[in-house]
Amino acid sequence: HRGIVPQPNDVLFGRIRSNDGNRTLRKLVTTLLDEYNCLPRKFKAKLAEEVLEEISNLGGRFLKQNPVGEWEEVSHNEAVQKVAKTFRNCRRSAPESEEISIF
């Protein structure tokens, strides 16, 4: 049994940022970040599911390497967690809003 060969639209787990699938994920998350930040917690997972579905519609999968270095598709839950983590990471790295303080 051989591992999966990653395709351009696949989202790869790990410190890989250079493939198209990871860039697409970040672009989708950035586009929806304001909406995500305004949602109550129970609806954030639903938005993460929608991003996952969009990646899937583009032919992408969520892959991680197993201990022997082969790529494997992750569970649905792991993929949703990856999207949610990407939302949190983008939120942390987003520039602060330029509000004028009266203090």
Side-chain angles (χ1 to χ4, degrees), residues 4-13 16 19-25 55 58-63 71 73:
I4 294 170
V5 175
Q7 300 300 309
N9 288 332
D10 291 337
V11 174
L12 307 179
F13 280 44
I16 300 162
N19 73 310
D20 291 340
N22 289 55
R23 280 194 287 269
T24 299
L25 173 61
I55 295 287
L58 295 170
R61 303 165 292 182
F62 286 74
L63 307 177
W71 290 100
E73 196 162 354

Side-chain angles (χ1 to χ4, degrees), residues 10-69:
D10 291 337
V11 174
L12 307 179
F13 280 44
R15 298 198 175 273
I16 300 162
R17 296 183 169 271
S18 60
N19 73 310
D20 291 340
N22 289 55
R23 280 194 287 269
T24 299
L25 173 61
R26 285 193 306 277
K27 188 181 218 179
L28 285 168
V29 164
T30 301
T31 302
L32 296 169
L33 192 57
D34 287 340
E35 181 180 349
Y36 179 85
N37 288 335
C38 293
L39 287 173
R41 188 173 187 191
K42 64 182 177 179
F43 295 112
K44 289 182 177 183
K46 173 85 171 96
L47 189 59
E49 293 262 2
E50 290 175 17
V51 171
L52 175 63
E53 185 175 326
E54 183 64 28
I55 295 287
S56 180
N57 289 343
L58 295 170
R61 303 165 292 182
F62 286 74
L63 307 177
K64 71 177 178 182
Q65 286 184 302
N66 65 21
V68 294

Side-chain angles (χ1 to χ4, degrees), residues 70-86:
E70 297 174 332
W71 290 100
E72 297 178 333
E73 196 162 354
V74 302
S75 71
H76 180 81
N77 188 50
E78 283 179 287
V80 171
Q81 293 302 316
K82 170 73 168 175
V83 173
K85 183 176 184 202
T86 304

